[in-house]
Amino acid sequence: MSVWLQIMDTAGAVLVLLGAAICLLGVAGMLRLPDVLSRSHAATKPQTLGLLLVLAGVALRLRGGMDVATLALIGFFQLMTGPVAAHLVARSAYRTGQIDHDELLFDDLDAQLSEPDGEWEREPEEGDPSAPGPEPDPDGGRDPGTDPAPGSG
C-alpha cells in the first residue's frame, strides 16, 4: 500500500469522524434551543455540513468513479432540499403563530402577509373556473316596474 493511499484513507476517516461530530452538535442544538426558528437553523446548517464532510470522507475511502458520482449526487440533493425544507417549516410556524414576534430583529414577512392585494389573496380573473358566477336575478330578467306577463300567474 502506497503512502498516498494511506494518507487518503486517514484523511477520509478524519472527515467522516468530523462530519459525524458536527451532526451530533446539530442534534444537541435541536434539543437545547428554545424556539422553532433556532431549531430549524440547527436542523439544517450543521446537518448539511456534517453530511457533506461524511460524503467527502467516504469518497476519499472508496475512490471509485461511480461511487464518487453517487456521493456527489447525494450531496447535491442534500444542498437543494435541506434549506428549502427548513424555510417551509419556518414559514408555516410563522403563519400558525408559533413565532414570538417580539424576539425578531426584522419581520419582513409581516409586511408581505398583511398587504390586502398580496400574493396570497389574488383576485380571480375572467374565465377562471374558481371565479364566482353572476348573481341570480330575483325578477327573472324583467324590468322591476312592469306587470308580470299575462297568463303567468
Side-chain angles (χ1 to χ4, degrees), residues 28-46:
M30 285 179 56
L31 295 174
R32 303 266 317 181
L33 291 172
D35 60 340
V36 175
L37 296 179
S38 301
R39 288 180 182 165
S40 174
H41 181 79
T44 306
K45 301 281 182 167

Side-chain angles (χ1 to χ4, degrees), residues 38-109:
S38 301
R39 288 180 182 165
S40 174
H41 181 79
T44 306
K45 301 281 182 167
Q47 300 301 332
T48 302
L49 177 63
L51 180 69
L52 290 177
L53 287 175
V54 167
L55 292 175
V58 170
L60 284 176
R61 298 286 306 231
L62 293 178
R63 299 191 263 308
M66 196 62 138
D67 298 330
V68 172
T70 303
L71 294 172
L73 278 175
I74 293 170
F76 173 75
F77 285 120
Q78 175 66 30
L79 285 173
M80 292 296 113
T81 58
V84 172
H87 176 79
L88 291 176
V89 167
R91 185 171 270 223
S92 67
Y94 183 91
R95 285 191 176 174
T96 57
Q98 298 176 7
I99 305 292
D100 185 16
H101 294 278
D102 297 334
E103 292 187 15
L104 296 178
L105 295 177
F106 300 103
D107 194 2
D108 294 334
L109 194 57

